[in-house]
């Protein structure tokens, strides 16, 4: 099985961009703003073979967008959505379907974090469900 490879393939669709940081699975204690973090669930395994081997994965990767303000959040979300939505990750030995963006959490202020000027970051979460079949 290759859960990690599937998530890395989703992460790899996001091009390097000097305007925001990209984290994978976790955020450091002192992140660079704005940023996105790719994370998600462990999915659902399926198998239709006679040997009942796992030959299909249903995954729901999530991307959390975090910024210092609403306009910056929308800028980052636009860039990442353009890179992920309706694109298929590349995973050796598997044929993933295209990612389909779904909003999971609306723009929200994070009052647990306070910047030195007294303001707070904002965040939003998208989900990009897809299915992958073993070749």
């Amino acid at each position: 099985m290759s859960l990690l490879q599937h998530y890395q393939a989703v992460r790899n669709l996001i091009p390097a961009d000097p305007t925001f940081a990209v984290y994978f699975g976790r955020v450091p204690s002192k992140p660079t703003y704005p940023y996105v973090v790719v994370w998600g669930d462990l999915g659902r395994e399926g198998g239709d073979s006679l040997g009942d081997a796992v030959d299909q994965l249903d995954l729901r990767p999530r991307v959390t967008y975090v910024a210092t303000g609403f306009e910056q959040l929308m800028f980052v979300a636009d860039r990442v959505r353009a890179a992920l939505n309706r694109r298929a990750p590349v995973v050796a030995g598997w044929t993933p379907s295209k990612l389909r963006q779904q909003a999971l959490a609306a723009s929200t202020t994070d009052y647990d974090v306070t910047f030195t000027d007294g303001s707070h970051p904002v965040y939003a979460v998208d989900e990009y469900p897809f299915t992958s079949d073993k070749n």
Side-chain angles (χ1 to χ4, degrees), residues 6-128:
H6 279 81
Y7 275 96
Q8 288 171 330
V10 172
R11 160 54 190 101
N12 291 341
L13 289 173
I14 303 171
D17 190 315
T19 62
F20 61 90
V22 179
Y23 300 114
F24 185 70
R26 70 175 205 72
V27 178
S29 60
K30 294 185 179 185
T32 300
Y33 289 88
Y35 67 85
V36 300
V37 59
V38 177
W39 61 286
D41 66 3
L42 297 179
R44 185 181 64 79
E45 301 173 357
D48 291 332
S49 68
L50 292 175
D52 199 30
V54 173
D55 60 7
Q56 187 176 67
L57 293 172
D58 292 318
L59 296 172
R60 304 185 78 77
R62 294 177 181 109
V63 176
T64 301
Y65 314 98
V66 185
T68 58
F70 182 75
E71 287 182 19
Q72 189 181 64
L73 182 72
M74 295 301 106
F75 172 82
V76 172
D78 279 344
R79 293 266 176 117
V80 174
R81 282 180 170 182
L84 295 180
N85 198 26
R86 292 176 169 68
R87 301 266 316 273
V90 176
V91 181
W94 293 80
T95 304
S97 66
K98 291 180 179 179
L99 304 173
R100 299 290 183 176
Q101 179 271 332
Q102 297 175 357
L104 193 61
S107 175
T108 305
T109 301
D110 184 356
Y111 291 105
D112 291 336
V113 176
T114 304
F115 295 127
T116 55
D117 67 356
S119 66
H120 307 279
V122 293
Y123 68 93
V125 183
D126 277 344
E127 190 169 60
Y128 291 89

